[in-house]
Every structure is written in C-alpha cells, then in structure tokens.
Amino acid sequence: MSNEKEKIQAGLAEYNASVEKTVARFPERGHLPEQRLYTPLDIEGTDYTEEIGFPGMYPYTRGVQPTMYRGRFWTMRMYAGFSTAEESNKRYRYLIESGATGLSCAFDLPTQIGYDSTDDISEGEVGKVGVAIDSLADMEILFDQIDLGKVSTSMTINAPASVLLAMYIAVAEKQGVPADQLKGTIQNDILKEYAARGTYIFPPRPSMRLITNIFEYCSKYVPKWNTISISGYHIREAGSTASQEIAFTIADGIAYVEAAIKAGLDVDAFAGRLSFFWNAHNNVLEEVAKFRASRRIWAKVMKERFGAKKAKSMMLRVHTQTAGSMLTAQQPNNNIIRVALQTAAAVMGGTQSLHTNSRDEALALPTEESVMIALRTQQIVAYESGLADVVDPLAGSYYVEAMTNRIEKEAWDYIKKIDEIGGAVSAIEKGYIQKEIQDSAYKWQMDVESGARTIVGVNKFQIEEKPVEGLLKVDASVGEKQKAKVEAMKAKRDNAAVEAALANLEAACKDENENLMPHILAAVKTYATLGEICGVMRKVFGEYEAHVNL
C-alpha cells in the first residue's frame, strides 16, 4: 500500500500543478466544497468490515435489508389531508387506486395542537393545512371503505399523538381488524416541536411520559406499529445543515430511549419499533452520505450505549420526504426537477418509505394532477432509472465515503456536546439546539440573498410570470360545516359516559405510574372530542411556553 500511496501522492502533485494553470484561465465558481478532488487517501484508515460492511449487517451503513429494493420497493406513501374527513377520504382512495402503497395523514393546525374546530382559537384554520379531526366520528369517515388491515398508515401528529392513535385503533376495531394487525407510524416526536416546529401542547416532562406510555402500550397490544418517527425533517426545514439534522434527531432518539428504559421497559422490547424521518434535500451526494452516516451512528448508539442485543433494535429505519423548504413559488414547474433529484437521493441513500412533494405546494395545497406527477416521479425512479437495481450503488466512491465519515464525525461532535449539556431535553430547554438551527438558517439565507448560493428562478434565471391558475383552495365554509358536525355529534352521544371517561382520564393523569393509553382509548370510544381529551391533560399538565432566543 505504501508504494500505491506514493504513486497517488505523485499523481496528485502533477494534478495540482495542472490545476493552477487551468484555474488561472478559468476561475472556479464560488460556494464550492473546499476540496475539489477525492482519492483513496481521503478514506485511508476506514475499515471496510467495521465501518462500511454489508447491507443488512451491523453497522448498517449500506442499508438495513440485505437486498434492499431488489425484492420490494420502498413504500410510496403520499402525504395528504385537507378540508373535511369526507374530502380527504376521496383523496386517499384516489391515491390507493393510482398505486400508492401507503397513506400519510396531514392534520389541520387545530388538530395538531389539540383544539376542536368549534374552539375560538381554531377560527380560520379549520381544514386549511390538513384534515380536521375532532372525534372518532371524523376518523370513521376518514377511513371509510379503506381496509385498515391491509393499508399502512402514517400520521403526522405529535402533541396529541396518543389521541389520534386511539381513534385509529377504535376505527380498526369497528372494522373488525384487531390492534395487533395494524401497521403504520405516528410521528409522536415532541422534542423537535420545541426545537424547530412549534406544534406542542404540554411541557417536556409530561410529554415524554405520554410517549413512553405509547411505547409500552403498543409493545403489548399493537406490536406492528411504529410508535415514533423521530423527525429530522422539520429540523432541516427550519434551516439546519445535514450534519445537524441527524445529530439533533439522534440526540432526541437517545432521550426517548433513556426515558423508556427509566420507565422500566427493556430496550429490545421497544427499540425495533422506533423509526426516523429524514429530509431529502437538494445536494444529492451529501444526502446519500447523510443517510449512510445516520444508520452507522444509530447502530453504534444502540449497541454500545444501550446494550441492545436484537438486530432490529440497532437498525435505523427511515421514512423520507422531499424538501418542502426547497420548493419555490417562482417557476413552480422547476420543482418537479428538484423533487426528482431529491427522490434519487433518498433511494440511493436507502430509505424505507418516501413521500414526494408536489410542484405547487409553495403556493397552495396540491391539486390531484400535481399529486399524480409527484407519485409518478417515485414510480419512474423505481421502475426506469436503475437506481433501485443494486444495493447502496455509491458505496466505494471516494467522495461519498469521505463525506459519510465527515458527516458522522460532525454529528458525533454535536451529540457529545448535547450529552455535556445534560441531554436533548436540557439542550432544548437551554435553547442550544434552537440557536444552532437559527444560525445555520441565517447563513443559508444570507448566501441566497448575496448570490453566493444560486436558487434557479429566485436569484438567477428569473422570468416574468403570470399568476398560477387552478390552485386548490379550501373554502371558508368548511369551518362552519365542521362546527355543525361536532355539535350534532355531541347532541347524539352519551354525554354521561363522556364525562365519566374524562374524569377517569384526569385521575390517571395525576398518577404518574398509570399508563394513559387505555384511558384515552376509553374516552375516544365515548366520542369525547380531541379538544375535550387534550383539555383534561392541559388542566393537569399545564402548557409549554417557548423561550425566544435572541
């Protein structure tokens, strides 16, 4: 190897001499990686079997399944939900008929923060950014004519995740589908809400209790359900770098595992149902390296830090969504190309499921035509591109392997810093994670505004554009219709049963040793509303107030 190393070094010296002449004539573009060329010297010391290895084998750098997409493609899970349960049900059935292999539910803002459509705070927001779900009655409509025993469903819900999961279990029961057959995911990741997104309700400590209650309940009764999707997506959307995205998310994951173990759960009883959620950003090769580095870090964390024994406990399984923050309102058809590249990055990175954004989402909710293009993007990559034909196709690239190592190191540095602060909860309470994200977001924006970073159609290659027509808009009358539905439902239900169930839930909230899931499920079955259930928990737990970082 020493002889080979000398040959490479000699070649590099000759290359660098030629570069000087070329750069003198043709100066390089700005805002490029500091290093222009990668060689075997850049991955010198990387142990293949220990750090890269084989697919389906520790440390899972090359993927969590031995054959990846050669046997089965990733789940094509389109994120959808708007207006009423009736309208969203139509969209879900359309997606399934068009070839989607999983559903992903978007909920409106009042639902995400635990308020009913009838609450004053919900005025003007009902059904706007997702579907309004006020009670089990809405959930029954949402999944009407959709067999919950056959479909895999992901729900992007965090603070009230326990309530929405209970509603899903209750709907399945009415369909005759036992809870132990249900497949899907709840996001249920409250820590990133404090750090990057903002749809929190309760303070961190009771929120962590709810999460571990879900871990425990599902490990016994809903064993095929992914109990959390630890989400870097929104951290990246808020402006983080790739390294920060996986570092802060894995730090959150460590906090959830520690909380579950503290609550008395065995790590191998729940860790196999933890999943992650990554952003597929624009820099294709960096994204591939990020995916690979994240699997390696998580495997080491679970094996070395928590003593996990089962292989599934060490596997970082990931759902991916293309980057919403990279969509532009200018020249929206350009977003089709951006999403295609991000899709390629997610596939070469080894995702387990994928949602592709639609071209018009920077302007409005996506139309059916736009959703179809987004779904077809995944299908073309799957069936026509060849990217899914081999496992981890970029392994061995000097650049990708070196960048995988770099991102891993940067992420470990952040994780160690967060450990020193006292863990993810303390780091969030002290504003450390928020400040790091804010600084990265500011730098990105300054680069765009200065022109150092080109965004096609925004700060370069602009054209004069006509207003975009045919956008999907949610009519303001949706809110009034939803209010009427809630009032009619309340008039028909057994209100004495509702009051009794809510009283039982309140008593359970006050007993820190009680698992709240059975009490929430019991309340849901009486048709207690989301707002009523969350109101009881607000009363006992209080509400979180954010600290502004200046």
Side-chain angles (χ1 to χ4, degrees):
M1 178 62 192
S2 60
N3 188 41
E4 181 68 18
K5 183 176 179 179
E6 289 171 5
K7 287 181 180 179
I8 294 170
Q9 289 172 332
L12 275 173
E14 187 176 344
Y15 167 77
N16 288 330
S18 69
V19 163
E20 288 181 17
K21 296 176 184 177
T22 303
V23 170
R25 294 179 60 203
F26 306 107
E28 293 181 319
R29 291 177 286 118
H31 203 75
L32 292 172
E34 186 176 324
Q35 189 170 331
R36 70 170 61 84
L37 181 72
Y38 287 77
T39 72
L41 300 184
D42 293 292
I43 56 172
E44 191 176 27
T46 300
D47 187 312
Y48 182 87
T49 56
E50 293 294 322
E51 300 298 317
I52 301 174
F54 298 91
M57 296 173 62
Y58 184 89
Y60 307 104
T61 307
R62 303 197 65 185
V64 295
Q65 292 119 5
T67 60
M68 290 302 289
Y69 312 129
R70 289 169 66 90
R72 189 180 73 173
F73 291 123
W74 60 93
T75 301
M76 298 179 192
R77 190 189 298 284
M78 299 303 292
Y79 185 51
F82 64 97
S83 186
T84 61
E86 289 87 349
E87 289 299 314
S88 292
N89 174 261
K90 290 177 187 175
R91 176 64 64 87
Y92 291 165
R93 284 157 54 195
Y94 168 77
L95 288 169
I96 292 169
E97 289 164 6
S98 301
T101 53
L103 296 175
S104 186
C105 303
F107 299 101
D108 72 356
L109 190 56
T111 303
Q112 290 182 51
I113 54 176
Y115 288 105
D116 290 336
S117 299
T118 52
D119 197 292
D120 289 345
I121 203 169
S122 303
E123 191 70 34
E125 291 293 340
V126 176
K128 287 291 176 71
V129 299
V131 61
I133 299 294
D134 288 294
S135 72
L136 178 58
D138 290 318
M139 199 66 118
E140 289 166 351
I141 296 167
L142 188 65
F143 292 103
D144 182 42
Q145 300 179 61
I146 297 172
D147 187 345
L148 299 190
K150 294 180 179 178
V151 73
S152 168
T153 304
S154 174
M155 293 189 280
T156 303
I157 196 72
N158 294 283
S162 55
V163 185
L164 273 295
L165 175 59
M167 289 180 183
Y168 193 84
I169 293 168
V171 170
E173 187 178 297
K174 283 176 171 282
Q175 289 187 2
V177 179
D180 62 7
Q181 296 303 306
L182 295 177
K183 294 180 181 178
T185 305
I186 41 171
Q187 193 162 102
N188 195 29
D189 175 10
I190 200 62
L191 292 180
K192 67 95 177 45
E193 295 296 326
Y194 303 124
R197 191 163 177 259
T199 62
Y200 42 70
I201 302 175
F202 317 113
R205 308 293 167 174
S207 293
M208 294 294 279
R209 175 190 171 187
L210 281 167
I211 289 167
T212 56
N213 282 178
I214 291 169
F215 288 178
E216 181 183 28
Y217 183 85
C218 288
S219 69
K220 293 177 181 177
Y221 305 110
V222 203
K224 296 181 181 179
W225 193 266
N226 296 319
T227 51
I228 194 167
S229 178
I230 309 166
S231 176
Y233 183 84
H234 304 97
I235 289 172
R236 193 67 177 279
E237 290 289 278
S240 79
T241 65
S243 300
Q244 289 171 335
E245 178 188 350
I246 64 170
F248 298 154
T249 308
I250 288 173
D252 289 347
I254 289 169
Y256 295 131
V257 174
E258 288 175 340
I261 291 172
K262 187 177 179 181
L265 299 181
D266 176 77
V267 67
D268 285 315
F270 68 87
R273 299 320 304 180
L274 306 182
S275 64
F276 286 78
F277 179 18
W278 293 152
N279 195 305
H281 225 255
N282 280 359
N283 188 323
V284 173
L285 298 180
E286 183 179 54
E287 291 302 287
V288 173
K290 178 191 78 179
F291 277 75
R292 299 172 85 249
S294 68
R295 285 192 291 269
R296 195 153 76 201
I297 294 170
W298 186 247
K300 291 176 182 178
V301 164
M302 296 307 293
K303 183 178 182 178
E304 298 170 11
R305 185 165 183 157
F306 294 113
K309 301 290 190 296
K310 290 183 180 178
K312 282 192 175 180
S313 300
M314 304 176 210
M315 294 179 185
L316 187 150
R317 296 166 303 111
V318 64
H319 169 67
T320 306
Q321 183 173 338
T322 56
S325 60
M326 294 296 99
L327 301 178
T328 63
Q330 300 91 333
Q331 302 176 38
N333 282 341
N334 292 348
N335 294 329
I336 298 172
I337 295 92
R338 292 186 178 102
V339 169
L341 290 169
Q342 293 161 4
T343 300
V347 170
M348 288 189 287
T351 191
Q352 277 59 69
S353 68
L354 178 62
H355 163 73
T356 36
N357 290 326
S358 298
R359 60 181 173 177
D360 47 7
E361 288 189 63
L363 297 162
L365 291 165
T367 63
E368 281 194 359
E369 180 186 16
S370 295
V371 169
M372 180 65 80
I373 292 170
L375 177 58
R376 291 291 183 255
T377 301
Q378 292 197 50
Q379 292 164 338
I380 289 167
V381 169
Y383 290 96
E384 299 183 26
S385 72
L387 296 181
D389 294 354
V390 295
V391 182
D392 191 22
L394 293 180
S397 157
Y398 306 131
Y399 179 43
V400 170
E401 295 295 0
M403 189 154 41
T404 300
N405 293 343
R406 173 182 64 77
I407 290 173
E408 181 186 14
K409 181 185 180 303
E410 290 174 358
W412 275 122
D413 288 344
Y414 275 115
I415 292 168
K416 288 171 185 172
K417 174 68 175 175
I418 291 167
D419 282 342
E420 290 168 3
I421 293 171
V425 175
S426 294
I428 288 166
E429 288 176 338
K430 293 177 181 178
Y432 169 73
I433 292 175
Q434 297 94 310
K435 180 67 163 54
E436 290 292 311
I437 295 169
Q438 289 164 7
D439 288 348
S440 294
Y442 180 79
K443 183 179 184 306
W444 173 283
Q445 189 60 35
M446 290 302 98
D447 285 345
V448 172
E449 292 187 14
S450 70
R453 184 183 296 276
T454 297
I455 306 296
V456 174
V458 176
N459 62 357
K460 200 171 184 179
F461 311 114
Q462 299 102 321
I463 59 173
E464 192 165 330
E465 300 180 74
K466 296 178 181 178
V468 178
E469 298 180 353
L471 296 173
L472 177 61
K473 299 290 185 184
V474 175
D475 193 274
S477 64
V478 165
E480 295 306 313
K481 290 176 183 175
Q482 189 66 16
K483 287 180 189 177
K485 280 171 60 182
V486 173
E487 297 300 342
M489 181 275 298
K490 284 183 175 180
K492 290 194 302 182
R493 71 185 183 181
D494 182 343
N495 285 295
V498 171
E499 289 177 16
L502 293 175
N504 288 338
L505 174 60
E506 182 175 347
C509 288
K510 293 174 181 177
D511 181 352
E512 292 186 1
N513 297 315
E514 188 76 9
N515 190 310
L516 298 180
M517 275 302 297
H519 301 281
I520 293 169
L521 183 58
V524 159
K525 288 180 178 180
T526 67
Y527 292 85
T529 67
L530 175 76
E532 288 169 334
I533 294 169
C534 289
V536 166
M537 292 192 279
R538 275 189 172 94
K539 179 181 175 183
V540 178
F541 299 146
E543 292 188 74
Y544 177 74
E545 293 185 10
H547 302 286
V548 177
N549 297 297
L550 300 175

